[in-house]
Amino acid sequence: MLRRAIATIAVAFISLAAFAQKERHFNLHYSFTVRNVEPGQPLRVWIPLAHSDRFQDVRVVSQQGDVSLRKTRESEYGNWMLYGETPKAAKSEYRFAVDYDVLRREKIVLAHDKLVPGAADRRASRVMLARFSEPDKLVPITGLPAELAAQQAGGATTTLTKAHALYDYVFHTLRYDKTGAGWGHGDTLWACDSKRGNCTDFHSLFISMARSQHIPARFEIGFQFPPDKHSSDTVAYHCWAEFFDQQMGWIPVDISEAWKHQQLHDYYFGAQDPNRVQFTMGRDLRLNPPQAGPPLNYFVYPYVEVGNQEHSNVALALSFKDMEQRTVTAKK
């Protein structure tokens, strides 16, 4: 009996160790310059803010701006931002910077399609689930994506198996390709036609198909850091998706990363590596206070208006540096 008990404890310990989360601790420098501002015109600036949650601890080390900044939050998705304005610009350039200290943890919700104990996030109001079941401007839930979803998920009987079928379809149909024009807008119909794109295109198609099958799905965006570098003067944005299962809660998918690292196809259905930080979620965003222009397609870079018109002459400088060495083990 004692030997059997010891064996049971050992198996449990090994199982827990297998799901021990890796971490990445880094500084992120987020700065930009608004150029060619016409003096005398009103200037308004919105800066997306990273936030803390179960898988990332975020601390703003410093924030600077050539106009006073205050923290605001939009009501639809709960995204945080910094907002600043001046009624009459006094110069042609304005500079802003935010420095972060971030501890990001690996997120494993599913392993081999089985729920990892304690990993599920089941928090979802009816209002939010309803919103994440609706179309966005570039993310339709009828027409071609709905037809494709019905074909792919036709034989599935659970939310999980349906979502897995849609994940596999996007993985096998699209290719990660940022040549030419059209990619990067998260336009589902463009992705259906071109069968290529970046992370926004991959996950827009998945979200359209999932929502057409009455599976709530949400778009999340932030920044990604190379796993083989400890610092870099350039940082790329990255996005992913999550879908909601009534029994399991929110389940992450990262299909574009799976495509780039195809040996991790199974891993990225239900998990996220720690080489990222999330900033915001949602599409068609109204900021706080509301911008004069149309809703934003997504919000990861600063949004600027001069004279109540979008001002795109913004030079970004994003960099990161690891705070400590981290253990990296091969995923299976």
Side-chain angles (χ1 to χ4, degrees):
M1 292 291 291
L2 178 60
R3 200 174 282 178
R4 183 179 299 173
I6 292 172
T8 301
I9 293 170
V11 169
F13 178 80
I14 292 170
S15 298
L16 288 173
F19 295 120
Q21 294 182 337
K22 293 182 288 295
E23 298 178 343
R24 190 161 189 178
H25 188 191
F26 54 88
N27 282 142
L28 173 63
H29 178 70
Y30 184 118
S31 65
F32 62 97
T33 302
V34 183
R35 294 175 171 169
N36 294 338
V37 178
E38 183 180 347
Q41 289 291 317
L43 168 70
R44 306 173 77 200
V45 178
W46 294 260
I47 309 169
L49 276 178
H51 61 281
S52 293
D53 60 25
R54 295 175 63 210
F55 295 96
Q56 61 184 32
D57 299 330
V58 176
R59 182 170 65 90
V60 175
V61 178
S62 65
Q63 62 184 58
Q64 302 173 28
D66 285 346
V67 299
S68 179
L69 298 170
R70 60 185 174 92
K71 190 175 180 181
T72 67
R73 193 180 193 185
E74 54 85 25
S75 59
E76 186 171 24
Y77 300 105
N79 294 311
W80 291 97
M81 64 203 76
L82 294 173
Y83 173 74
E85 65 177 9
T86 180
K88 291 184 179 181
K91 53 185 181 178
S92 61
E93 287 194 352
Y94 283 79
R95 299 178 185 275
F96 302 86
V98 183
D99 285 285
Y100 294 96
D101 180 293
V102 180
L103 178 65
R104 176 75 190 200
R105 289 175 286 276
E106 184 181 25
K107 183 176 185 176
I108 303 178
V109 177
L110 292 181
H112 306 295
D113 288 351
K114 302 295 183 183
L115 191 64
V116 175
D121 178 6
R122 295 186 174 88
R123 295 171 297 173
S125 68
R126 290 183 181 179
V127 171
M128 291 309 296
L129 290 179
R131 177 62 187 92
F132 291 126
S133 300
E134 296 172 352
D136 294 305
K137 181 179 179 181
L138 296 179
V139 185
I141 61 173
T142 57
L144 180 57
E147 294 169 9
L148 293 171
Q151 293 169 9
Q152 299 303 314
T157 57
T158 68
T159 297
L160 189 65
T161 54
K162 287 181 180 181
H164 212 316
L166 305 182
Y167 174 92
D168 285 340
Y169 174 81
V170 177
F171 175 87
H172 290 296
T173 303
L174 267 60
R175 72 181 187 276
Y176 193 87
D177 181 356
K178 299 194 293 184
T179 60
W183 61 270
H185 300 295
D187 184 333
T188 293
L189 296 181
W190 183 89
C192 285
D193 181 58
S194 65
K195 294 182 171 54
R196 66 181 183 90
N198 76 342
C199 55
T200 61
D201 308 302
F202 274 66
H203 295 108
S204 293
L205 177 54
F206 175 83
I207 291 170
S208 283
M209 295 174 75
R211 291 177 180 177
S212 76
Q213 288 287 306
H214 309 293
I215 302 172
R218 62 191 184 190
F219 174 92
E220 299 178 343
I221 192 166
F223 293 96
Q224 186 177 42
F225 312 104
D228 57 344
K229 292 183 179 181
H230 294 296
S231 64
S232 177
D233 289 333
T234 58
V235 176
Y237 83 77
H238 183 52
C239 65
W240 51 91
E242 294 193 332
F243 68 91
F244 190 78
D245 183 292
Q246 290 289 347
Q247 282 70 47
M248 296 183 173
W250 289 106
I251 298 174
V253 296
D254 194 335
I255 316 173
S256 56
E257 279 303 287
W259 194 95
K260 290 189 286 183
H261 307 282
Q262 300 205 5
Q263 73 279 14
L264 300 180
H265 167 274
D266 294 342
Y267 171 82
Y268 281 116
F269 184 79
Q272 294 172 355
D273 60 68
N275 305 308
R276 65 186 69 203
V277 58
Q278 182 183 337
F279 266 58
T280 61
M281 73 166 63
R283 305 284 294 271
D284 300 342
L285 293 150
R286 274 285 172 199
L287 307 179
N288 182 17
Q291 69 271 32
L296 301 190
N297 189 17
Y298 48 79
F299 187 37
V300 71
Y301 293 137
Y303 176 75
V304 179
E305 291 185 345
V306 175
N308 291 323
Q309 299 290 326
E310 180 179 358
H311 185 82
S312 59
N313 196 336
V314 178
L316 286 157
L318 305 175
S319 61
F320 88 98
K321 182 178 180 181
D322 281 334
M323 293 294 291
E324 58 189 29
Q325 201 77 12
R326 67 198 187 286
T327 300
V328 178
T329 57
K331 304 180 185 76
K332 297 182 180 180

